[in-house]
Amino acid sequence: MKKMSKEKISISIDARGSHCPGPMMELIKAIRQAEVGEIVELLSSEEGSLSDIPAWIEKAKHELVDMIKEDGYNRFLVRKTR
Amino acid sequence: MNKIIVIGGGFSGLTIANKLAKKARKYKLDITLIEPKDHNFYEPDLIFYAFNNKKLSKLYKPMHKLVRKRVNHIGMRAKKVETEKKKVILEDGTELDYDYLVLATGVKYIEKDFKYSEQKHIHHFYSPPATEKFRQMIKRFKGGTIVISPSTVPYKCPPAPVEFTFMLDSYLKKRKLRDKATIKFLYPLSVPFTVKEAAVVVAEMYKKRGIEFVPYCNYEKVDIENKKFISFEGEEIEYDELVLLPIHEGQDIIKESGLGDKEGYVPTDKFTLQVKGHPNIYAIGDCTDLPTSKAGAVSHYSAPTIVKNIINQIKGKEASAKYNGKTICFLVTSYQKAMMLDFSYNHPSRKYGLIPMRIYMLFKRLFRFLYFHILIKGII
Ligand SMILES: Cc1cc2nc3c(=O)[nH]c(=O)nc-3n(C[C@H](O)[C@H](O)[C@H](O)COP(=O)(O)OP(=O)(O)OC[C@H]3O[C@@H](n4cnc5c(N)ncnc54)[C@H](O)[C@@H]3O)c2cc1C
């Protein structure tokens, strides 16, 4: 059973198939557009995202709400906190 | 006749037009190149010219020396492409029909919050006037903090700011000023540029050479009065001199013709190089959204695919030729040495090129000759 998050998603980005630094840059763009408190969903099949995305979120002081392993890609849910 | 129009006569457009010209007679090609500039400029040497006194005019070549006889060069801007009618409209209103179109319009730099020419302490080295302004400053530099950062990703030639930083380090050592200077390199990712295998090596070299690396640092704005770089992540980094690459975007014609994404880059099939949704339009070079570097090397290796596919289509066949993402470029690490990055869609940068060597620097130095006399003319 895949874990499902009940959070309401405001912006969703499908960066599957995109190479480094695509997914990271797409996420940053979406966080810029989002309002504080909103959740951004990022789908990425790029391996580096697994370490890079959480590290960036920590540095930028946003919140990693969930990181879900799907079939062939990862789903990140990120809350804009400031 | 098969009418082919190429918009943009930088390295990419000239290479394509000149390569097509070699096939013009056999396949009845009528080739038009639309480019308002009357010269071409060799950008890779800007990283050297930022630290020497040579005349920047050495890096220019007039267009008429670069365009082959069978290419009709129109010295004007194209205003719009009407894809339904297969027409290009020029700035004076002239309409030109095409059977096949190649977009090679490169990128444009945007000055949003300030003008570089008006800022004493903010520089870049991505154009001749900006390089000239930087070198006037660095000649007078006596010590302090120099901060280097891109302002957007993607930008032209991912390793260029790294090369510039290594050159700065070497230059300051030569002038015996290195111990009076702090060099900080800021970058949006965990490593100092986009080709990961090489970037890891660069990060190690930064450590050894006392260059401070700040990862996950995305440009937000500059506090000009207090000389601070402010990142999107909330960091404030003080500088005495800031080298901030200009903001890059696609050209207006791309957006206005409905051929671009949000940043004005052309959605391009990474293998056939056809513009998505437009089988008779191709895109090459910096104007594309290809998942690889914005580099002349990419244009050089991808140009034969476009030529083959246009010929295939003229013969009534599928556009079946495929670009494999092949790129080779050199990354300067000091006055004497460089690395060689050799990668494609299928393999990461080859390990043998990641050890800085004199031979790679020799290639880098010889490259301008090759660029103007062989590559841009479509000879190979
Ligand atoms: C400092 C620096 C170092 C670099 N080092 C390297 C390196 O070591 N190796 C490497 O491979 N690459 C390097 N590059 C990148 C390389 O220079 C570029 O990738 C290359 O020049 C891109 O060529 P282009 O023809 O796609 O774009 P451009 O050179 O930008 O040409 C686009 C042309 O289109 C024209 N144009 C735009 N709009 C219109 C219009 N509406 N109508 C008609 N014409 C139009 C413009 O006038 C321009 O001449 C470097 C770049 C810089 C800045």
PDB file of all heavy atoms in Angstrom, chain B residues 5-21:
ATOM      1  N   ILE B   5      14.937  28.782 -43.722  1.00  0.00           N
ATOM      2  CA  ILE B   5      15.312  30.032 -43.051  1.00  0.00           C
ATOM      3  C   ILE B   5      15.941  29.687 -41.710  1.00  0.00           C
ATOM      4  O   ILE B   5      15.427  28.839 -40.962  1.00  0.00           O
ATOM      5  CB  ILE B   5      14.091  30.954 -42.836  1.00  0.00           C
ATOM      6  CG1 ILE B   5      13.507  31.369 -44.195  1.00  0.00           C
ATOM      7  CG2 ILE B   5      14.466  32.183 -42.006  1.00  0.00           C
ATOM      8  CD1 ILE B   5      12.350  32.354 -44.101  1.00  0.00           C
ATOM      9  N   VAL B   6      17.063  30.336 -41.404  1.00  0.00           N
ATOM     10  CA  VAL B   6      17.697  30.195 -40.089  1.00  0.00           C
ATOM     11  C   VAL B   6      17.574  31.558 -39.411  1.00  0.00           C
ATOM     12  O   VAL B   6      18.013  32.569 -39.977  1.00  0.00           O
ATOM     13  CB  VAL B   6      19.195  29.802 -40.234  1.00  0.00           C
ATOM     14  CG1 VAL B   6      19.843  29.664 -38.860  1.00  0.00           C
ATOM     15  CG2 VAL B   6      19.347  28.514 -41.045  1.00  0.00           C
ATOM     16  N   ILE B   7      16.968  31.593 -38.227  1.00  0.00           N
ATOM     17  CA  ILE B   7      16.881  32.873 -37.499  1.00  0.00           C
ATOM     18  C   ILE B   7      17.945  32.887 -36.418  1.00  0.00           C
ATOM     19  O   ILE B   7      17.942  32.052 -35.511  1.00  0.00           O
ATOM     20  CB  ILE B   7      15.490  33.097 -36.861  1.00  0.00           C
ATOM     21  CG1 ILE B   7      14.376  32.921 -37.896  1.00  0.00           C
ATOM     22  CG2 ILE B   7      15.417  34.487 -36.228  1.00  0.00           C
ATOM     23  CD1 ILE B   7      12.976  33.180 -37.341  1.00  0.00           C
ATOM     24  N   GLY B   8      18.868  33.860 -36.514  1.00  0.00           N
ATOM     25  CA  GLY B   8      19.960  33.977 -35.549  1.00  0.00           C
ATOM     26  C   GLY B   8      21.245  33.462 -36.156  1.00  0.00           C
ATOM     27  O   GLY B   8      21.327  32.304 -36.561  1.00  0.00           O
ATOM     28  N   GLY B   9      22.239  34.342 -36.231  1.00  0.00           N
ATOM     29  CA  GLY B   9      23.525  33.959 -36.829  1.00  0.00           C
ATOM     30  C   GLY B   9      24.662  34.043 -35.847  1.00  0.00           C
ATOM     31  O   GLY B   9      25.710  34.616 -36.127  1.00  0.00           O
ATOM     32  N   GLY B  10      24.447  33.487 -34.647  1.00  0.00           N
ATOM     33  CA  GLY B  10      25.562  33.290 -33.714  1.00  0.00           C
ATOM     34  C   GLY B  10      26.270  32.011 -34.131  1.00  0.00           C
ATOM     35  O   GLY B  10      26.127  31.558 -35.283  1.00  0.00           O
ATOM     36  N   PHE B  11      27.003  31.399 -33.213  1.00  0.00           N
ATOM     37  CA  PHE B  11      27.725  30.177 -33.569  1.00  0.00           C
ATOM     38  C   PHE B  11      26.764  29.111 -34.105  1.00  0.00           C
ATOM     39  O   PHE B  11      27.036  28.470 -35.125  1.00  0.00           O
ATOM     40  CB  PHE B  11      28.494  29.636 -32.352  1.00  0.00           C
ATOM     41  CG  PHE B  11      29.220  28.371 -32.650  1.00  0.00           C
ATOM     42  CD1 PHE B  11      30.356  28.378 -33.441  1.00  0.00           C
ATOM     43  CD2 PHE B  11      28.754  27.149 -32.178  1.00  0.00           C
ATOM     44  CE1 PHE B  11      31.020  27.198 -33.750  1.00  0.00           C
ATOM     45  CE2 PHE B  11      29.410  25.963 -32.481  1.00  0.00           C
ATOM     46  CZ  PHE B  11      30.546  25.984 -33.265  1.00  0.00           C
ATOM     47  N   SER B  12      25.606  28.952 -33.436  1.00  0.00           N
ATOM     48  CA  SER B  12      24.678  27.877 -33.818  1.00  0.00           C
ATOM     49  C   SER B  12      24.093  28.109 -35.212  1.00  0.00           C
ATOM     50  O   SER B  12      24.111  27.204 -36.057  1.00  0.00           O
ATOM     51  CB  SER B  12      23.518  27.782 -32.818  1.00  0.00           C
ATOM     52  OG  SER B  12      23.992  27.685 -31.514  1.00  0.00           O
ATOM     53  N   GLY B  13      23.568  29.317 -35.453  1.00  0.00           N
ATOM     54  CA  GLY B  13      22.924  29.615 -36.727  1.00  0.00           C
ATOM     55  C   GLY B  13      23.908  29.576 -37.883  1.00  0.00           C
ATOM     56  O   GLY B  13      23.601  29.047 -38.968  1.00  0.00           O
ATOM     57  N   LEU B  14      25.105  30.126 -37.666  1.00  0.00           N
ATOM     58  CA  LEU B  14      26.115  30.116 -38.732  1.00  0.00           C
ATOM     59  C   LEU B  14      26.532  28.689 -39.060  1.00  0.00           C
ATOM     60  O   LEU B  14      26.678  28.329 -40.238  1.00  0.00           O
ATOM     61  CB  LEU B  14      27.336  30.926 -38.290  1.00  0.00           C
ATOM     62  CG  LEU B  14      27.251  32.430 -38.563  1.00  0.00           C
ATOM     63  CD1 LEU B  14      28.297  33.192 -37.758  1.00  0.00           C
ATOM     64  CD2 LEU B  14      27.446  32.727 -40.050  1.00  0.00           C
ATOM     65  N   THR B  15      26.728  27.879 -38.017  1.00  0.00           N
ATOM     66  CA  THR B  15      27.148  26.495 -38.252  1.00  0.00           C
ATOM     67  C   THR B  15      26.114  25.764 -39.101  1.00  0.00           C
ATOM     68  O   THR B  15      26.461  25.093 -40.089  1.00  0.00           O
ATOM     69  CB  THR B  15      27.330  25.754 -36.900  1.00  0.00           C
ATOM     70  OG1 THR B  15      28.266  26.489 -36.124  1.00  0.00           O
ATOM     71  CG2 THR B  15      27.832  24.343 -37.086  1.00  0.00           C
ATOM     72  N   ILE B  16      24.845  25.891 -38.732  1.00  0.00           N
ATOM     73  CA  ILE B  16      23.781  25.203 -39.470  1.00  0.00           C
ATOM     74  C   ILE B  16      23.692  25.721 -40.909  1.00  0.00           C
ATOM     75  O   ILE B  16      23.671  24.946 -41.868  1.00  0.00           O
ATOM     76  CB  ILE B  16      22.417  25.426 -38.761  1.00  0.00           C
ATOM     77  CG1 ILE B  16      22.261  24.440 -37.630  1.00  0.00           C
ATOM     78  CG2 ILE B  16      21.237  25.308 -39.709  1.00  0.00           C
ATOM     79  CD1 ILE B  16      21.999  23.014 -38.073  1.00  0.00           C
ATOM     80  N   ALA B  17      23.655  27.048 -41.075  1.00  0.00           N
ATOM     81  CA  ALA B  17      23.514  27.622 -42.419  1.00  0.00           C
ATOM     82  C   ALA B  17      24.683  27.184 -43.300  1.00  0.00           C
ATOM     83  O   ALA B  17      24.491  26.782 -44.464  1.00  0.00           O
ATOM     84  CB  ALA B  17      23.439  29.147 -42.329  1.00  0.00           C
ATOM     85  N   ASN B  18      25.898  27.227 -42.745  1.00  0.00           N
ATOM     86  CA  ASN B  18      27.073  26.859 -43.544  1.00  0.00           C
ATOM     87  C   ASN B  18      27.115  25.363 -43.856  1.00  0.00           C
ATOM     88  O   ASN B  18      27.551  24.957 -44.937  1.00  0.00           O
ATOM     89  CB  ASN B  18      28.351  27.288 -42.821  1.00  0.00           C
ATOM     90  CG  ASN B  18      28.560  28.798 -42.901  1.00  0.00           C
ATOM     91  OD1 ASN B  18      28.025  29.452 -43.805  1.00  0.00           O
ATOM     92  ND2 ASN B  18      29.315  29.357 -41.976  1.00  0.00           N
ATOM     93  N   LYS B  19      26.662  24.543 -42.918  1.00  0.00           N
ATOM     94  CA  LYS B  19      26.629  23.095 -43.185  1.00  0.00           C
ATOM     95  C   LYS B  19      25.589  22.796 -44.275  1.00  0.00           C
ATOM     96  O   LYS B  19      25.814  21.972 -45.158  1.00  0.00           O
ATOM     97  CB  LYS B  19      26.271  22.320 -41.917  1.00  0.00           C
ATOM     98  CG  LYS B  19      27.474  22.037 -41.020  1.00  0.00           C
ATOM     99  CD  LYS B  19      27.090  21.067 -39.931  1.00  0.00           C
ATOM    100  CE  LYS B  19      28.221  20.846 -38.949  1.00  0.00           C
ATOM    101  NZ  LYS B  19      29.382  20.146 -39.518  1.00  0.00           N
ATOM    102  N   LEU B  20      24.439  23.469 -44.201  1.00  0.00           N
ATOM    103  CA  LEU B  20      23.404  23.263 -45.220  1.00  0.00           C
ATOM    104  C   LEU B  20      23.912  23.726 -46.586  1.00  0.00           C
ATOM    105  O   LEU B  20      23.591  23.110 -47.620  1.00  0.00           O
ATOM    106  CB  LEU B  20      22.126  24.029 -44.841  1.00  0.00           C
ATOM    107  CG  LEU B  20      21.292  23.422 -43.705  1.00  0.00           C
ATOM    108  CD1 LEU B  20      20.275  24.441 -43.185  1.00  0.00           C
ATOM    109  CD2 LEU B  20      20.568  22.154 -44.164  1.00  0.00           C
ATOM    110  N   ALA B  21      24.707  24.804 -46.582  1.00  0.00           N
ATOM    111  CA  ALA B  21      25.206  25.354 -47.846  1.00  0.00           C
ATOM    112  C   ALA B  21      26.002  24.311 -48.626  1.00  0.00           C
ATOM    113  O   ALA B  21      25.993  24.297 -49.866  1.00  0.00           O
ATOM    114  CB  ALA B  21      26.060  26.587 -47.571  1.00  0.00           C
TER     115      ALA B  21
END
